[in-house]
Amino acid sequence: MPAVPALLLAIAFAPALGAAEGELAGYRLDPVHTRVLFGLDHAGYTTALGTVSGSSGAIAFAPGDWSRARVRVSVPLQRVDFGDEAWNRAARDMLGAERHPEAVFVSERVVREGDRHARACGTLSLNGTSAPFCLSVRFNQLRRAPLPPFAQTVGFSAEGTLSRSAFGIDDWSRLVGDEVTFRIEVEATRDDSVLAQFPEAP
C-alpha cells in the first residue's frame, strides 16, 4: 500500500511536459498568478510602482522551437493599483481606461536568445493607439502543477519599456516621467483550444 501514495506523488510532481519538444501546445493565462508591475518617474523623487492583476490571454508554445511561439494578452486598465485610490483614479483617467478599458499585446515574432530567453515583438494597443512593442522574455519552467488539478503549467517572466507619449498619454509631463518600465509574471495552464486564436502560427 505505501507504494500507491508514493506513485501518486511521483505523478503529481513529475516534470511531465505533456507535449513533445517540437509539438505546439496551447496555454490559457491564469489571471490569479499573472501580474503586471510597472514603474515611472515621480518628479525625480522616486519611481512610482503600480500593479495590474486579472490579465487574460493565450500562449502557443513549443519548448523546442521558440519561433512558433505566439501570445495574446489583455490587461484590464481599470485594475491599475498604486496602493492609493486617488492615485488609481488619476492613473485610470490618464490611461483613458473608460474609453479603452484594456491594453492588448499581440506578438508577431519570437526570437530565441539562449536556452531560456527570447525577444517577443508585436503590437501593443493602448489608449486607442497601436504601436510596435517588444518584451524580453525568460522561460521559467513547464511541468505538471504540484496542486490539484495537476494541470500542465508554463511560467514566464518578461520585461519591457515604452514611451507613454507614443500612445498619446502626455498628462502631467512635468510631474510624471515619459518612460514606463514593465515586469510581467505569467502562469498559464494547458488548453489546446486556445490554439484557434493563432491561425497564423506555423
Side-chain angles (χ1 to χ4, degrees):
M1 290 297 293
V4 175
L7 177 60
L8 291 176
L9 284 173
I11 293 173
F13 285 89
L17 296 184
E21 281 287 294
E23 179 187 351
L24 192 68
Y27 299 88
R28 186 180 301 275
L29 260 66
D30 177 348
V32 176
H33 296 106
T34 296
R35 201 166 185 90
V36 178
L37 169 69
F38 59 93
L40 69 168
D41 179 73
H42 179 226
Y45 296 111
T46 59
T47 297
L49 298 175
T51 62
V52 187
S53 60
S55 296
S56 60
I59 297 170
F61 183 58
D65 187 358
W66 281 66
S67 68
R68 302 176 69 196
R70 296 291 185 274
V71 60
R72 297 177 187 267
V73 179
S74 297
V75 179
L77 301 178
Q78 292 286 358
R79 300 190 67 165
V80 167
D81 184 9
F82 277 100
D84 176 83
E85 188 52 37
W87 261 92
N88 294 346
R89 287 195 301 269
R92 290 193 292 265
D93 288 344
M94 184 186 300
L95 292 167
E98 185 172 340
R99 299 185 307 279
H100 307 285
E102 293 182 324
V104 179
F105 174 68
V106 180
S107 73
E108 295 166 2
R109 67 185 185 281
V110 177
V111 179
R112 190 168 186 166
E113 298 181 336
D115 290 342
R116 290 185 170 268
H117 294 82
R119 189 162 180 80
C121 294
T123 300
L124 175 65
S125 298
L126 173 65
N127 191 39
T129 299
S130 296
F133 184 62
C134 291
L135 289 167
S136 295
V137 181
R138 184 184 73 225
F139 167 51
N140 296 326
Q141 69 173 359
L142 170 59
R143 59 172 291 168
R144 192 186 306 276
L147 296 173
F150 306 119
Q152 295 294 329
T153 302
V154 65
F156 297 93
S157 300
E159 296 181 346
T161 303
L162 64 79
S163 162
R164 65 189 185 95
S165 61
F167 293 87
I169 305 171
D170 54 8
D171 310 55
W172 303 354
S173 58
R174 297 182 62 182
L175 178 65
V176 179
D178 181 62
E179 183 179 270
V180 183
T181 59
F182 291 89
R183 175 179 171 183
I184 307 169
E185 297 295 327
V186 174
E187 285 188 27
T189 55
R190 181 76 179 264
D191 182 353
D192 286 339
S193 71
V194 304
L195 289 175
Q197 300 181 33
F198 304 104
E200 73 280 9

